[in-house]
Amino acid sequence: MALHWQILTALAAAFLFGAVFGTEAAGIPLLAIYDFVGGLFLDALKMLIVPLITASIITGVASIGSAGGVGMMAGRTVIYYLFSTTLAVTTALMVMNLFQPGISGGQPLSETVALPPIGDEVSGRLEGKELSEFFNILRDMVPSNIVQAGAEAQMLGLIFFSVLFGIALTRATSPGMQTVKDFWAGVQDVMIQITHWVMKTAPIGVFALVAGVIAESGLSVILPLIDFFLAVVMGLAIHALVVLPLVLWLVTRRSPIRFMRAIWPALLVAFSTSSSAGTLPITLQALTQRAGVSRETSSFVLPLGATINMDGTALYECAAVLFIAQAYGVDLSLSMQVLIVVLALVTSIGVAAVPSASLVAIALILGVLGLPLEAMGLLLVVDRLLDMLRTSVNVYSDATGAVIVARLRGEDRILMDTRPDEGAESGELAGTVERG
């Protein structure tokens, strides 16, 4: 059984067990078992944070300078990715503040649903933050001891160091630099493999986390999550159907509708697999054969995008953290919301292009803000379908970036009626999808 069906089955079982058996059955403390198993799953996710984010960012930044002769293309690509991801996170910020799905009937969700305690000291630390304190947090970006920062999971410092390290790798000229690049690329590959292993246990972790929530709160938890689900879908739709098509038309003067028709096969594969990396071969072929982008441009922009450009993921991270903050009744100041935007922007760069990897980044942001990681159990109820949707947005943004960079490089045959016969291309793409 595919992993997503396993997770859906685990969700159904969690609702059933949580609603029918409650917190205790036949003298067995079910809630304690749920907490233990769910805690193991969360600990496994936290175990991945430092090595996965560090290796991914270093490798991604170093790869920008490893393709000789494409400095201008690399600069344009990175600028677009940063711009589009910032737009995505800003969209999430506006939608979540407008609809506030974490507040039900004028009250925070924590007052109607049993959530892990947040603690008075955390509430006091978060509420009423001033701009000066925000800059003090930014000061932590430069750690005095990088080993200590890793041991204490001070991710702001680790992210800054990783970016700096990656940039230095592109400038250093000693013969051993390729060995260092290969090392970090290997670490990234190993951590992605471990992530796959951890995600194989996701059905068990999902069952324990969700069953615990349902056992304590009942099925009434579903309705507020529907509000959260719809808010995220609205944010993704605005970004994919309004923001990105507008950017595409303004820069390239090409039809967004024709562009959507050209990359539709890649979007279907992305939705099915929830992996932008796994969709990469289909996206490359769709852009080169259906959209008319040169292979030189698409083969550079798309792999880079699969590493550092995660519009849908960044949007979801921001929405999820704001939802949990609203659910606990934490009134985040403007400066703290800006911090969330920055964290969502930066951590989305280091998220592996595999299903549900954004849970690691969400755990990172919650840890920085001091919000309980156990509250992530709420998100898992609707995470799978949202994962499929946000991956499609990730791939859509990658393809948009490839078209924009190609047009800026002077390629003028993009999305023109004179491209090869679409029927033949569709058959070839279908064969590719079947072989994949």
Side-chain angles (χ1 to χ4, degrees):
M1 184 184 295
L3 180 61
H4 62 275
W5 290 116
Q6 295 179 36
I7 293 177
L8 289 175
T9 302
L11 283 173
F15 282 121
L16 179 62
F17 273 71
V20 174
F21 297 105
T23 60
E24 185 176 347
I28 301 176
L30 295 178
L31 187 60
I33 296 176
Y34 296 151
D35 290 341
F36 175 77
V37 176
L40 284 178
F41 179 62
L42 288 173
D43 288 342
L45 288 176
K46 289 186 286 185
M47 175 185 67
L48 303 173
I49 290 178
V50 171
L52 178 60
I53 298 297
T54 302
S56 295
I57 292 179
I58 290 177
T59 303
V61 173
S63 68
I64 296 175
S66 62
V70 292
M72 182 65 72
M73 182 164 59
R76 289 168 173 170
T77 302
V78 172
I79 290 174
Y80 163 77
Y81 285 156
L82 292 176
F83 178 69
S84 65
T85 306
T86 301
L87 290 177
V89 177
T90 304
T91 300
L93 197 66
M94 293 188 297
V95 170
M96 296 301 293
N97 279 290
L98 179 62
F99 293 99
Q100 297 188 327
I103 299 176
S104 178
Q107 294 181 332
L109 193 60
S110 59
E111 297 185 8
T112 56
V113 177
L115 296 179
I118 187 174
D120 294 336
E121 71 282 357
V122 175
S123 299
R125 181 158 60 91
L126 287 176
E127 293 176 352
K129 285 289 184 180
E130 300 296 335
L131 188 61
S132 59
E133 297 184 40
F134 170 68
F135 284 116
N136 288 334
I137 294 176
L138 291 183
R139 184 178 177 181
D140 293 336
M141 289 178 60
V142 183
S144 59
N145 187 328
I146 189 62
V147 176
Q148 181 181 5
E152 298 177 356
Q154 297 175 3
M155 293 310 301
L156 285 176
L158 284 176
I159 290 171
F160 176 80
F161 176 81
S162 300
V163 171
L164 196 64
F165 196 99
I167 294 174
L169 277 180
T170 67
R171 301 296 180 88
T173 57
S174 63
M177 289 304 98
Q178 187 58 46
T179 302
V180 177
K181 293 179 183 179
D182 293 340
F183 166 78
W184 284 111
V187 172
Q188 183 187 28
D189 291 340
V190 170
M191 294 312 303
I192 289 176
Q193 180 60 58
I194 296 177
T195 301
H196 281 300
W197 290 342
V198 172
M199 292 313 300
K200 288 181 182 296
T201 69
I204 300 174
V206 166
F207 171 81
L209 291 170
V210 176
V213 173
I214 299 298
E216 285 192 296
S217 306
L219 296 177
S220 60
V221 72
I222 297 177
L223 186 58
L225 289 175
I226 291 178
D227 294 338
F228 169 68
F229 176 85
L230 293 177
V232 175
V233 170
M234 179 177 295
L236 292 172
I238 291 173
H239 186 68
L241 302 179
V242 179
V243 177
L244 289 180
L246 182 61
V247 173
L248 177 72
W249 184 82
L250 289 175
V251 177
T252 69
R253 289 299 193 268
R254 293 294 191 265
S255 169
I257 296 177
R258 186 174 295 167
F259 171 68
M260 179 69 74
R261 288 175 54 200
I263 66 166
W264 187 246
L267 298 182
L268 290 178
V269 175
F271 183 81
S272 303
T273 62
S274 296
S275 173
S276 53
T279 311
L280 189 57
I282 309 300
T283 312
L284 282 167
Q285 190 167 8
L287 279 176
T288 55
Q289 296 189 3
R290 296 170 62 91
V293 178
S294 69
R295 187 168 299 277
E296 177 187 4
T297 300
S298 59
S299 62
F300 174 80
V301 176
L302 290 178
L304 185 61
T307 303
I308 69 173
N309 184 49
M310 302 287 176
D311 287 12
T313 299
L315 189 151
Y316 176 70
E317 290 175 15
C318 181
V321 173
L322 288 175
F323 170 71
I324 292 176
Q326 292 170 3
Y328 279 98
V330 176
D331 186 16
L332 296 175
S333 65
L334 178 61
S335 59
M336 292 304 296
Q337 294 195 36
V338 171
L339 176 61
I340 293 175
V341 169
V342 173
L343 287 173
L345 175 65
V346 175
T347 56
S348 67
I349 297 175
V351 170
V354 296
S356 299
S358 61
L359 293 176
V360 178
I362 293 173
L364 182 157
I365 300 175
L366 290 176
V368 171
L369 295 179
L371 293 168
L373 299 185
E374 291 77 9
M376 289 172 58
L378 286 172
L379 307 177
L380 295 175
V381 177
V382 294
D383 180 73
R384 178 56 192 176
L385 184 55
L386 290 178
D387 192 10
M388 299 163 74
L389 292 171
R390 63 181 180 260
T391 301
S392 300
V393 174
N394 290 342
V395 172
Y396 182 79
S397 178
D398 292 347
T400 302
V403 171
I404 289 176
V405 172
R407 283 292 294 140
L408 293 177
R409 296 185 69 221
E411 299 179 21
D412 56 2
R413 308 298 297 175
I414 300 172
L415 298 173
M416 301 294 287
D417 292 331
T418 54
R419 69 182 193 279
D421 179 68
E422 187 169 321
E425 295 165 14
S426 299
E428 189 172 351
L429 276 170
T432 304
V433 174
E434 290 176 2
R435 291 191 298 272

